[in-house]
Amino acid sequence: MSSPKSLLIRRARIILPNGELIVGDVLTRDRQIIKVAPEISTATPTTEIDADQLTLLPGVIDPQVHFREPGLEHKEDLFTASCACAKGGVTSFLEMPNTRPLTITQQALDDKLQRAQSKCLVNYGFFIGATPENLPDLLNAKPTPGIKIFMGSMHGHLLVDADAALEAIFAKGDRLIAVHAEDQARINQRRKEFAGIHDVAIHSQIQDNQAALLATTLALKLSEKYQRRLHILHMSTAEEADLLRHYKPSWVTAEVTPQHLLLNTSAYEKIGTLAQMNPPLRSPHDNEVLWQALRDGVIDFIATDHAPHTLEEKALEYPNSPSGMPGVETSLALMLTAAMQGRCSVAQVVNWMSTAVAKAYGIPNKGAIAPGYDADLVLVDLQTYHQVRREELLTKCGWSPFEGWNLTGWAHTTIVGGEIVYDKGKLNTDVRGQAINFL
């Protein structure tokens, strides 16, 4: 019987759970962190990494992605997406239910878990999607981080915009509910008002700040009525942030994407439909208010809403062009670059992209560098800058809204379950992640 694999990382700049930075060593064995110390001299590891001048962070947990499998694999699939995750320092993801078939039954959830087990290089979890009719599945399906409700920006079975249907979901069970908060009635009304306009910039006016605020207000009202755990996905507006600043129950959390922090409506002129997403990009004022809300803890963490489409699809004339953009490869570097610019600290990035996500979703033993935690880690280089280049991306869609941006904090080495999955530009596609547990 072979002995468990062990990994020793030496001389790394380690971000500890309290935010303190030390230079030291980390020893992992059999998927777990065994020891963190200024120097570990007694170990004879299977593998050793000299991490001098590199910074060691907990692996990123991306809590909102759309990886398109099954049914839409021409855009992305679980293998290509998990390769992109590994390159971006993302060691775990939570994926959304708008695949084909929709993830709205235990059978569909089991199918995704089996697919991921065979092809995902990183750890994985899958939301169950709400429809007006599938309440029994919402109560019983497992394992899942929670229930996803599309209150707007969706068509077909996953659109739940009737008050009675929403109330029925909030009223039964205690599972976390994550909402895409846009008011569909307002969107429909404004689509009629702006019909015939093909300038993609109109997207931010059709799905305006008020559409987001109306839906977030309703979700908060239902959450309070039923004392129901609520998470607000990809918050995008100053108005929503101000609402939460003045009223945010202890059981409510919220997230923001790097896109809504770093891009705004000026991007339409530069990159056209590549800037189109739901909820849409907003104004520079919204950017700044969201940043402040994130720093103040009004917004709890970061997610990418990685939602790839092919360049051919994106080239269609608005409104036929699809909404969504990729993000898992660039999110950590974008946020660490912001930290180097003084907009936040590296320790805050760790909290927003790892620790707070694990806490919010009840993911045990992830999100920190400490003995007993899973050995999901990323070594980053905070001294070297490198441009986002289309030809280097691993996402199947092959583009990024951040092409040409000069970023630091790129993943040098990504470790999943104590195994090196990405190192200095090379993937180890033999590594497999595991299904995430939720407390």
Side-chain angles (χ1 to χ4, degrees):
M1 188 174 180
S2 60
S3 58
K5 290 182 180 178
S6 59
L7 174 68
L8 180 60
I9 303 167
R10 290 199 180 277
R11 292 180 286 277
R13 296 164 56 84
I14 304 165
I15 305 292
L16 296 176
N18 63 2
E20 180 187 355
L21 188 148
I22 67 164
V23 176
D25 300 350
V26 173
L27 178 66
T28 79
R29 184 181 299 118
D30 198 21
R31 305 190 73 89
Q32 279 199 331
I33 297 169
I34 301 300
K35 189 174 183 181
V36 180
E39 186 176 3
I40 299 173
S41 57
T42 56
T44 53
T46 310
T47 306
E48 187 170 318
I49 297 173
D50 183 357
D52 187 38
Q53 302 302 310
L54 299 175
T55 302
L56 186 66
L57 314 176
V60 172
I61 306 170
D62 191 333
Q64 192 197 170
V65 300
H66 302 262
F67 283 171
R68 307 305 193 195
E69 183 177 349
L72 298 163
E73 288 92 342
H74 69 284
K75 302 174 190 279
E76 190 81 278
D77 60 60
L78 288 168
F79 175 74
T80 59
S82 66
C83 289
C85 283
K87 182 170 180 278
V90 176
T91 55
S92 300
F93 65 80
L94 305 181
E95 205 258 356
M96 290 297 165
N98 52 327
T99 45
R100 297 179 183 172
L102 304 172
T103 317
I104 56 176
T105 65
Q106 182 70 57
Q107 182 180 2
L109 179 62
D110 289 342
D111 176 66
K112 274 192 177 177
L113 288 163
Q114 289 166 8
R115 289 168 181 267
Q117 183 179 31
S118 69
K119 61 176 67 174
C120 273
L121 279 60
V122 302
N123 305 307
Y124 46 88
F126 299 99
F127 277 85
I128 186 85
T131 76
E133 298 88 23
N134 73 332
L135 193 56
D137 291 281
L138 300 184
L139 294 171
N140 300 315
K142 60 183 181 181
T144 183
I147 299 164
K148 168 68 177 287
I149 301 180
F150 286 92
M151 298 174 73
S153 294
M154 179 53 64
H155 50 81
H157 289 302
L158 281 182
L159 177 63
V160 185
D161 60 344
D163 287 0
L166 285 167
E167 184 134 4
I169 296 167
F170 273 86
K172 290 191 177 171
D174 56 7
R175 179 166 280 171
L176 177 148
I177 293 173
V179 293
H180 178 126
E182 289 189 277
D183 185 86
Q184 191 63 39
R186 181 169 178 86
I187 293 171
N188 291 342
Q189 170 201 329
R190 291 179 71 78
R191 279 179 181 160
K192 292 177 183 175
E193 291 176 23
F194 295 102
I197 298 176
H198 297 291
D199 179 0
V200 67
I202 205 70
H203 188 62
S204 292
Q205 293 185 53
I206 293 172
Q207 296 177 213
D208 65 352
N209 289 38
Q210 186 67 15
L213 180 63
L214 285 168
T216 294
T217 301
L218 175 58
L220 279 170
K221 178 182 173 183
L222 290 169
S223 173
E224 182 182 36
K225 181 176 181 179
Y226 295 104
Q227 301 286 290
R228 187 65 181 266
R229 174 76 176 89
L230 173 67
H231 178 66
I232 301 162
L233 298 160
H234 44 42
M235 183 170 283
S236 64
T237 70
E239 290 88 343
E240 291 169 286
D242 289 341
L243 173 65
L244 279 195
R245 187 177 290 279
H246 292 102
Y247 177 69
K248 186 187 178 191
S250 60
W251 60 86
V252 174
T253 52
E255 71 187 30
V256 66
T257 71
Q259 301 92 290
H260 289 116
L261 293 172
L262 299 169
L263 298 175
N264 52 58
T265 50
S266 67
Y268 291 123
E269 189 174 349
K270 297 171 187 171
I271 60 173
T273 53
L274 298 187
Q276 181 186 337
M277 66 176 295
N278 296 331
L281 299 179
R282 308 295 186 186
S283 71
H285 172 69
D286 291 293
N287 292 152
E288 292 310 312
V289 173
L290 291 169
W291 262 113
Q292 195 59 52
L294 182 62
R295 286 189 290 259
D296 292 345
V298 174
I299 296 174
D300 299 271
F301 50 82
I302 299 284
T304 65
D305 193 21
H306 177 99
H309 301 282
T310 67
L311 284 165
E312 291 76 15
E313 291 167 334
K314 278 290 193 177
L316 295 171
E317 186 179 55
Y318 185 83
N320 297 317
S321 48
S323 294
M325 53 183 75
V328 293
E329 276 172 271
T330 52
S331 59
L332 180 59
L334 286 164
M335 294 306 297
L336 290 173
T337 300
M340 293 301 100
Q341 293 167 344
R343 304 194 78 168
C344 58
S345 69
V346 174
Q348 284 176 308
V349 173
V350 167
N351 181 53
W352 298 334
M353 302 191 77
S354 300
T355 313
V357 182
K359 179 182 177 183
Y361 281 104
I363 302 172
N365 306 319
K366 292 192 189 297
I369 301 175
Y373 277 73
D374 292 346
D376 299 331
L377 304 161
V378 57
L379 279 164
V380 299
D381 181 352
L382 290 173
Q383 300 177 26
T384 303
Y385 282 75
H386 185 79
Q387 281 193 354
V388 180
R389 295 173 182 160
R390 181 174 291 191
E391 62 271 17
E392 295 175 357
L393 295 170
L394 297 183
T395 175
K396 188 184 283 189
C397 74
W399 62 273
S400 166
F402 299 103
E403 284 169 51
W405 287 41
N406 199 32
L407 306 178
T408 192
W410 291 101
H412 178 281
T413 306
T414 304
I415 296 157
V416 174
E419 293 193 79
I420 298 171
V421 68
Y422 177 83
D423 186 54
K424 297 187 288 291
K426 294 185 178 180
L427 285 169
N428 178 2
T429 57
D430 293 332
V431 174
R432 290 292 176 268
Q434 293 187 338
I436 296 170
N437 295 314
F438 305 96
L439 297 176

